[in-house]
Amino acid sequence: GAVVSQHPSWVICKSGTSVKIECRSLDFQATTMFWYRQFPKQSLMLMATSNEGSKATYEQGVEKDKFLINHASLTLSTLTVTSAHPEDSSFYICSASTPGDTQYFGPGTRLTVL
Amino acid sequence: GQQVMQIPQYQHVQEGEDFTTYCNSSTTLSNIQWYKQRPGGHPVFLIQLVKSGEVKKQKRLTFQFGEAKKNSSLHITATQTTDVGTYFCAGRAGGTSYGKLTFGQGTILTVHP
């Protein structure tokens, strides 16, 4: 099956710093990538949808200036959490898909902001 | 907006018992997918249902898609300890074959040996 990687798998940072998370589709070209956030024992909340070469579409309530998404190629999307605060601590998961296909999820990145 | 409700939130069973989780959408779905997330892991795709009334089986797992394409269920026969995890349904809005998925809240399954 299709493989999606995420880097880093976990990160601890100080409040006020920015953190970049990479999402890569390893064996297929993903026209669309999705970024989710998951709190402990809760469901996945879609943050934004990104299409290669265009601006990301953010879900209601998600600050686009705080969560910067770049989808520079068909195999790479990045999420940058700017000026992170403790309330941004969460499990961030990306998924990649092609039109009409399944979403393949990355292993997730656990962010802890001190 | 589209809402996907999933019940129950938690289910504790003895090994060998059956388990069912139900998913209901506020709107007609184009398709529905099911995922399993082990503790500490990420969601893993199980199956996609597209047709009205569709039933698919994977060994001990049976997936159903309602006639109105607004509800779905996942049934596990004779649970095993390896079935432990959170099961999520995720629906795509009707009229689209791709695009964002709306996830249900998930059902956390615990299996006691």
Side-chain angles (χ1 to χ4, degrees):
Chain A
V3 178
V4 176
S5 71
Q6 260 183 264
H7 178 80
S9 56
W10 58 270
V11 57
I12 301 173
C13 69
K14 293 182 179 180
S15 186
T17 60
S18 295
V19 175
K20 180 185 282 188
I21 302 170
E22 293 186 349
C23 177
R24 294 181 185 271
S25 56
L26 298 184
D27 51 1
F28 68 103
Q29 292 185 328
T31 51
T32 305
M33 288 186 171
F34 303 87
W35 286 95
Y36 294 86
R37 185 174 180 176
Q38 187 179 33
F39 291 105
K41 297 188 178 181
Q42 293 190 21
S43 188
L44 285 80
M45 299 301 297
L46 180 65
M47 299 174 66
T49 303
S50 85
N51 292 294
E52 185 265 339
S54 63
K55 291 183 178 180
T57 302
Y58 289 81
E59 294 299 301
Q60 192 173 10
V62 178
E63 299 176 57
K64 63 179 181 180
D65 294 330
K66 179 166 184 62
F67 299 100
L68 302 178
I69 292 172
N70 184 278
H71 194 158
S73 74
L74 288 172
T75 59
L76 173 64
S77 176
T78 61
L79 166 68
T80 301
V81 183
T82 62
S83 187
H85 288 94
E87 58 265 30
D88 298 323
S89 299
S90 189
F91 192 46
Y92 292 89
I93 309 175
C94 72
S95 70
S97 73
T98 54
D101 205 350
T102 311
Q103 286 190 26
Y104 298 96
F105 284 83
T109 296
R110 192 163 301 281
L111 170 64
T112 301
V113 184
L114 302 176
Chain B
Q2 181 185 18
Q3 291 186 327
V4 176
M5 306 298 291
Q6 194 174 346
I7 58 170
Q9 186 175 1
Y10 301 95
Q11 187 74 59
H12 307 277
V13 300
Q14 288 293 130
E15 189 172 21
E17 292 182 339
D18 294 354
F19 158 75
T20 305
T21 174
Y22 300 90
C23 191
N24 288 285
S25 170
S26 59
T27 58
T28 302
L29 300 171
S30 171
N31 58 62
I32 194 161
Q33 299 180 358
W34 285 91
Y35 293 82
K36 177 183 178 181
Q37 184 175 23
R38 293 181 182 274
H42 63 280
V44 174
F45 174 78
L46 294 178
I47 207 160
Q48 176 172 278
L49 304 172
V50 179
K51 299 177 182 177
S52 170
E54 189 169 15
V55 178
K56 286 188 176 180
K57 291 190 175 184
Q58 289 180 350
K59 298 182 180 179
R60 295 179 293 105
L61 277 63
T62 302
F63 304 85
Q64 291 188 322
F65 200 10
E67 294 290 340
K69 300 183 74 173
K70 295 180 72 173
N71 57 69
S72 181
S73 65
L74 158 59
H75 179 82
I76 302 178
T77 304
T79 54
Q80 300 175 359
T81 54
T82 53
D83 295 325
V84 165
T86 303
Y87 292 85
F88 292 100
C89 63
R92 275 202 179 102
T96 64
S97 60
Y98 59 92
K100 71 175 186 178
L101 290 168
T102 300
F103 279 78
Q105 299 94 323
T107 296
I108 300 173
L109 173 64
T110 305
V111 180
H112 300 285

